[in-house]
Amino acid sequence: MAVTLVNPPELPEIDVYHQVSIASGTKLVFVAGQVAWETGRDLAAQVEQCYVNVGAALAAAGGSFDDVAKLTCYVVDWTPDKMPALLDGIARGSAKLGTTAKPPASLIGVAALDVPEHLVEIEVTAVL
């Protein structure tokens, strides 16, 4: 495995991601922000589909979520009350992919994405 996930004891341990990824591979994979088409305006369903889409992109490069060094999640009109739906979508998408990887992640609230129907976009950088 080209990516080792670490939670240094000096930093808080977060349930949904690790604080550090250590990459030792030789091939970088940059996956464009993935969105969900045809899921309606359900945040959990969109997050789930984004994860599945990212998984397909990684597989095309010969990798999986276990190779992700960094994940960035953009959410339209983010407020903390949306966290349960986001976490539900992550859990469902991870289950579909059969992964428990929790790479370092950033959550960024945005005013809008490419079309009004898209509530979330997820991009990753992986190391193989």
Side-chain angles (χ1 to χ4, degrees), residues 7-77:
N7 278 318
E10 300 83 8
L11 299 176
E13 190 166 324
I14 309 297
D15 290 340
V16 294
Y17 64 87
H18 287 80
Q19 295 284 3
V20 177
S21 65
I22 302 165
S24 59
T26 58
K27 180 167 58 169
L28 290 175
V29 178
F30 300 92
V31 177
Q34 295 298 302
V35 295
W37 298 91
E38 302 179 20
T39 58
R41 292 188 52 84
D42 179 294
L43 181 60
Q46 287 196 20
V47 171
E48 176 184 359
Q49 187 60 53
C50 288
Y51 260 62
V52 170
N53 293 352
V54 167
L58 291 168
S64 72
F65 251 89
D66 292 332
D67 301 305
V68 173
K70 178 72 171 86
L71 181 146
T72 304
C73 184
Y74 302 93
V75 182
V76 173
D77 296 326

Side-chain angles (χ1 to χ4, degrees), residues 94-108:
S94 295
K96 276 189 174 177
L97 295 171
T99 185
T100 58
K102 298 179 195 173
S106 295
L107 174 76
I108 301 171

